[in-house]
Amino acid sequence: MDGRRMRWWILCGSLILAGTGCKRNTLPDQSLPPNPMVNNIAPPGLKKSFWGSSAKPQVPTPGMPAPEAIAEARPRKTGPMPDFEAAAADLKVELAFADPVPPNRDEMLDIARIRYQRALEADEKHKGALLGLARMHAKLGEQEQAIEAYRSYLKHYPKDADIHHEVAQRMGQWKNWDGAITWCDSALKIDPENRTYRKTQGFSLAMAGRWEEAFSTLCEIMPEAQARHNLAGLLDHLGHRDACRQQLEMALRADPGYEPSQQFLAELDGRLKPDTGIAEKSSEIQQAGGTMP
């Protein structure tokens, strides 16, 4: 009885030891290489890439500086579009000078000025904004501001002869004939063969009282009879009736068949009523052909 009990305890102890050894053998061997599937599990906040490795965080945690890639991908701030701003300003100026004058004209001009300035902040060489600002000041009769704006344009585009000539015409409108002559000279230095520039120069010289220079200048682009006829018109405009008649007579000596001078002289003599052809005394005076600058 004692011998059988002893064998029973020995058997139970053996079974317990065998079970314990099996559990220890089921633990993973720490000497084995790491499981690649385990290594490819991305920690929280990371995005798994296509190749199995971890990518940079897509959204940084609070306090963490933004990754360089995310910072570069952010949309950049865009300023005003100069073409749009200049075009919108041009429209405001056009509306401000409409007939009849709008009641909010000053407000419209202020908006136009601000839009021109926005365009120039985006592009300091923007042609439309530079010229629009200059022309707006010119229309308002603000001579100093207009000339300053024109000079700003010509600083970037000094070879634009048309703008030199435009400034000369502005000077003529302001009765600044010496200034008009100077700006015509600068335009002709760029484009010496331009007949329009030369004609404006001739008229400006005449209005400045430099008649001989005006005659020589006009003779460069037209026959003598036509040049003297145009000078006669300017003299008549200024009230110099005798000098006007003298130029008409010299025009007819240069070309006896020049009809515009014949008609103008007849009007001065009162032998022909202007625009009718009826022989009649008249005190009405009609200017000679040709346009003022």
Side-chain angles (χ1 to χ4, degrees), residues 243-261:
C244 172
R245 179 187 298 278
Q246 184 181 17
Q247 289 295 326
L248 290 172
E249 291 172 350
M250 287 191 289
L252 290 173
R253 282 199 293 268
D255 182 0
Y258 191 64
E259 186 175 352
S261 290

Side-chain angles (χ1 to χ4, degrees), residues 109-141:
L109 291 173
D110 284 336
I111 294 174
R113 176 178 50 80
I114 292 172
R115 283 190 174 275
Y116 285 135
Q117 291 172 347
R118 282 184 190 170
L120 292 174
E121 287 173 1
D123 180 5
E124 64 176 2
K125 298 182 180 181
H126 194 274
K127 287 186 174 183
L130 289 168
L131 287 178
L133 196 59
R135 289 165 179 165
M136 184 185 75
H137 286 305
K139 287 182 177 179
L140 289 170

Side-chain angles (χ1 to χ4, degrees), residues 73-90:
R74 288 174 178 169
R76 298 179 180 178
K77 292 183 178 180
T78 57
M81 296 179 289
D83 289 343
F84 173 79
E85 294 290 346
D90 288 342

Side-chain angles (χ1 to χ4, degrees), residues 44-47 55-71 74:
L46 296 182
K47 180 181 178 181
K56 294 182 179 180
Q58 298 302 303
V59 180
T61 57
M64 181 185 297
E68 183 177 352
I70 295 178
R74 288 174 178 169

Side-chain angles (χ1 to χ4, degrees), residues 177-178 181 202-215 231 234-235 238 240:
W177 302 113
D178 290 335
I181 294 166
F203 280 125
S204 300
L205 286 165
M207 295 300 293
R210 297 159 62 175
W211 299 102
E212 292 300 324
E213 293 176 74
F215 173 68
L231 290 178
L234 292 175
L235 287 164
L238 296 172
H240 303 304

Side-chain angles (χ1 to χ4, degrees), residues 257-279:
Y258 191 64
E259 186 175 352
S261 290
Q262 291 176 347
Q263 293 179 353
F264 196 180
L265 188 59
E267 292 165 13
L268 286 179
D269 289 340
R271 296 193 303 265
L272 188 68
K273 185 176 180 179
D275 302 326
T276 65
I278 302 175

